[in-house]
Amino acid sequence: MADIHPFRALRYDLQRVSAEQVVTQPYDKITPAMQERYYAASPYNLVRIILGRREPGDEASNNVYTRAADDARQWRAEGIFRRDSEPSIYVYSQTFTAPSGSKFERRGFIALGRLEDYSAKVVFRHEQTLSKPKADRLDLLRATRTHYEQLFLLYEDSGEIASLLAPNAATAIAPTIEVADEYGVAHKVWQISDPAVISSVQKKMRDQKLVIADGHHRYETALNFRNECRTAAGTGSNPQAPYEFVMMTLVNMNDPGLLVLPTHRVVHSLDSFSVDEFQKSSSQFFAVEEIDPAIDAERATALLREKGRNGTALLAVTASRASLLHSPKAAGAKFFAGLSPRQKALDVVQLHKCLLEGVLKLSEESIRNQQNLSYLRDASEALDQVRKGAANIAFLMNPCPIAQVRDIALAGEVMPQKSTDFYPKLLSGLTVYALD
C-alpha cells in the first residue's frame, strides 16, 4: 500500500526573498549557463545547495557538499527557510504551453511517501539508474540530511483523489506560492492543513501503486540513505523515523495535463559512417521509405505521429537523406534476447537494439556514457545538428504513451535511459523536507 503523510515543509520566507530568484529546475536539468544565472540571481538561490560550484581546492573538509550544508544551516538560522506550523499536503498546479502550442494544466499534490523497496511492489521504476549520479546525491543527502527536490510519482484513479483537492474554500484563495519559471510555466502551490481532507487523501492512496516518472536516481539514493540510517540506529526498521520517507509530488496518470514528450537521439563523432551502408543495413530490420531530405520539424512530427498509429515509427535523418523506418522485420529478433514482448514493442527499444547497437555498433556502455550520443527534446535542433555537419545521423521519435510506461513499470521491467520526458519539470525549492 502507498503510505502518504502530511509534513511541515521548510519553505522560503517570501517576505525575505523573491520566489523567482531562488527556485530552480531539477539539478540534472541545470546546465553550466543556468548554474551561473542562478548564482547571480540571489545569494539564497537553491542551486548553491543542490548543484553548487566545485572549486579547484576542494577537499574533505571543504567541498561542494560541506558548503551546501553550511549554506543550509545559515539560511535556516537567518529565517530564509521557515518550517510550516502545521502538518500539510500541498496542492501543486503547473499551467504551461506545450511545444505544440496547446495550453495545459497539470495538477498533483506534494506529500511524504514511505520509501519502499521495489520488491514490495508498491513503488515501481521504469528506467535503469547509474551509480555516479546516485553517489553524488547520496553525498549531498548525508551532508544536509534534507530532501530539497521533489520526486515525481504517478498513481492511477478516475479522479477521486483530485476531487478531494479540487478548488474549494481552502484553495480558491490566493496560492501560498506563485511563481513563473524561465520556460514560462506558471507554478502555484496551496497549503492544505485540514486533517479531514488529508485523512481522506491518505485513505484513497492506500491501494495505489506508484510509478516513478522522474527522480529514479534520487529515489534509490533515498533508499540507500534509509538503509544507512537503519544500520546506524541498530534497531532495524523504525516506521516513523524521518528517513523512512521522501518528498513526492503525486500526479494522476489520467490527468489531462500529464504530457510526455519525445527525446530524440543524435549520433556524432563516429570513426566511420556511410549513409548508403546505414540504409542498406537498416533495411534488414525495418521497412524503409525515403522521404524529402529537407523535411522540417513540424512535418517530421506529423509524419511520425501518423505512421506511429500502426506501430513503431522512426525517422532517420542525415545531411543528405531522410528515411522513415517502420514495420519491424523478424530479422531484428536476434537483438532482443531476454526482453519481453512489452519491451520489444517500444520504439525506443527498437531504436537502441536494432539501430544504435545493431547497425551503428554502439556498445551499451558507450550509450550509457553518451560517448557518441546526445539527447534532444527539440526536433528542429536535432535536424540542425546533422545538416550543419555536427552529427552523423539524427533519429526522431514519437513520445512513449503513458500506458506503455505504466505497463512496463508494473511488470517489473525497464526501458532504456531517456525514454520519457515528462513536461514540464517540477520546480525545486517550492517545499523542502528536512529530516532534523
Side-chain angles (χ1 to χ4, degrees):
M1 58 182 253
D3 189 13
I4 303 302
H5 288 246
F7 69 115
R8 293 171 56 210
L10 278 183
R11 293 192 290 109
Y12 277 107
D13 182 348
L14 299 182
Q15 300 299 313
R16 302 281 304 277
V17 298
S18 165
E20 284 85 356
Q21 294 177 341
V22 294
V23 297
T24 75
Q25 295 296 315
Y27 86 99
D28 56 340
K29 299 298 180 184
I30 298 174
T31 66
M34 291 168 69
Q35 183 189 48
E36 291 305 309
R37 190 170 71 248
Y38 288 147
Y39 259 84
S42 170
Y44 302 112
N45 189 283
L46 194 71
V47 76
R48 296 168 186 265
I49 294 176
I50 63 171
L51 194 67
R53 289 177 178 142
R54 296 180 183 272
E55 305 292 348
D58 280 357
E59 55 187 7
S61 61
N62 181 23
N63 56 52
V64 67
Y65 309 112
T66 62
R67 290 191 292 274
D70 290 344
D71 280 341
R73 281 190 293 269
Q74 183 63 30
W75 297 359
R76 290 181 70 173
E78 292 179 22
I80 300 301
F81 278 135
R82 293 188 180 276
R83 194 187 293 271
D84 283 334
S85 59
E86 297 179 283
S88 306
I89 60 177
Y90 302 82
V91 174
Y92 182 15
S93 163
Q94 295 169 284
T95 304
F96 60 97
T97 301
S100 65
S102 300
K103 294 187 181 298
F104 295 93
E105 181 189 19
R106 184 174 73 196
R107 273 189 173 250
F109 68 95
I110 305 168
L112 298 187
R114 183 175 300 281
L115 287 159
E116 302 278 4
D117 294 316
Y118 294 137
S119 59
K121 298 189 181 303
V122 175
V123 176
F124 297 80
R125 62 179 180 169
H126 75 271
E127 287 186 355
Q128 295 279 19
T129 55
L130 303 174
S131 58
K132 187 175 179 181
K134 287 191 288 187
D136 165 58
R137 292 298 95 180
L138 184 56
D139 283 339
L140 180 63
L141 185 52
R142 286 169 177 156
T144 63
R145 293 183 57 81
T146 301
H147 294 282
Y148 288 95
E149 301 191 89
Q150 309 161 48
L151 304 181
F152 186 178
L153 281 88
L154 306 173
Y155 66 91
E156 186 173 21
D157 74 0
S158 299
E160 297 91 339
I161 293 168
S163 69
L164 293 171
L165 298 170
N168 52 38
T171 58
I173 58 174
T176 309
I177 307 168
E178 187 169 6
V179 59
D181 68 20
E182 58 263 65
Y183 301 111
V185 180
H187 303 259
K188 296 180 182 179
V189 176
W190 292 265
Q191 182 181 357
I192 305 296
S193 304
D194 184 338
V197 173
I198 293 171
S199 177
S200 296
V201 171
Q202 288 178 298
K203 288 176 182 176
K204 288 288 186 182
M205 287 297 299
R206 280 183 188 147
D207 293 330
Q208 290 292 328
K209 297 181 185 297
L210 305 179
V211 174
I212 302 172
D214 272 337
H216 288 79
H217 289 93
R218 283 174 284 137
Y219 185 82
E220 293 181 18
T221 294
L223 282 174
N224 292 336
F225 185 73
R226 179 205 68 180
N227 295 341
E228 287 186 357
C229 291
R230 285 179 176 179
T231 299
T235 56
S237 175
N238 177 357
Q240 298 310 313
Y243 53 74
E244 296 284 342
F245 299 89
V246 69
M247 184 169 63
M248 302 174 172
T249 289
L250 297 132
V251 175
N252 186 0
M253 290 185 198
N254 296 314
D255 187 287
L258 185 64
L259 183 64
V260 184
L261 299 181
T263 302
H264 309 297
R265 272 65 171 158
V266 176
V267 179
H268 58 83
S269 309
L270 296 177
D271 291 334
S272 62
F273 176 74
S274 164
V275 176
D276 290 337
E277 186 57 37
F278 174 80
Q279 295 287 106
K280 178 181 176 182
S281 297
S282 61
S283 66
Q284 299 175 54
F285 310 115
F286 298 93
V288 178
E289 293 181 27
E290 292 269 357
I291 61 173
D292 180 4
I295 190 169
D296 62 17
E298 183 178 359
R299 176 60 186 144
T301 300
L303 184 60
L304 280 168
R305 183 170 55 246
E306 180 182 345
K307 201 68 178 181
R309 293 192 181 102
N310 298 318
T312 294
L314 304 166
L315 197 61
V317 183
T318 67
S320 59
R321 297 170 75 173
S323 302
L324 182 66
L325 283 62
H326 60 91
S327 306
K329 298 179 179 179
K334 64 183 179 181
F335 298 118
F336 300 128
L339 297 181
S340 72
R342 281 177 298 270
Q343 291 168 307
K344 295 174 191 175
L346 296 170
D347 287 11
V348 68
V349 169
Q350 292 282 340
L351 169 59
H352 275 241
K353 292 300 180 183
C354 292
L355 299 177
L356 299 185
E357 297 177 32
V359 174
L360 297 179
K361 308 302 181 186
L362 301 183
S363 68
E364 288 188 30
E365 182 179 6
S366 74
I367 291 172
R368 280 195 300 271
N369 295 332
Q370 299 181 35
Q371 289 174 225
N372 296 95
L373 188 65
S374 59
Y375 299 91
L376 294 174
R377 175 187 292 165
D378 190 332
S380 295
E381 186 178 353
L383 293 173
D384 185 57
Q385 290 286 309
V386 291
R387 288 169 179 165
K388 71 182 184 183
N392 302 104
I393 187 169
F395 296 99
L396 305 188
M397 305 178 63
N398 282 313
C400 183
I402 192 64
Q404 283 189 311
V405 178
R406 176 199 63 206
D407 293 347
I408 288 286
L410 296 184
E413 299 165 354
V414 293
M415 305 161 70
Q417 64 192 93
K418 306 285 187 182
S419 292
T420 56
D421 181 6
F422 288 89
Y423 183 84
K425 300 306 176 187
L426 307 176
L427 274 191
S428 297
L430 297 175
T431 59
V432 172
Y433 173 46
L435 304 186
D436 302 316

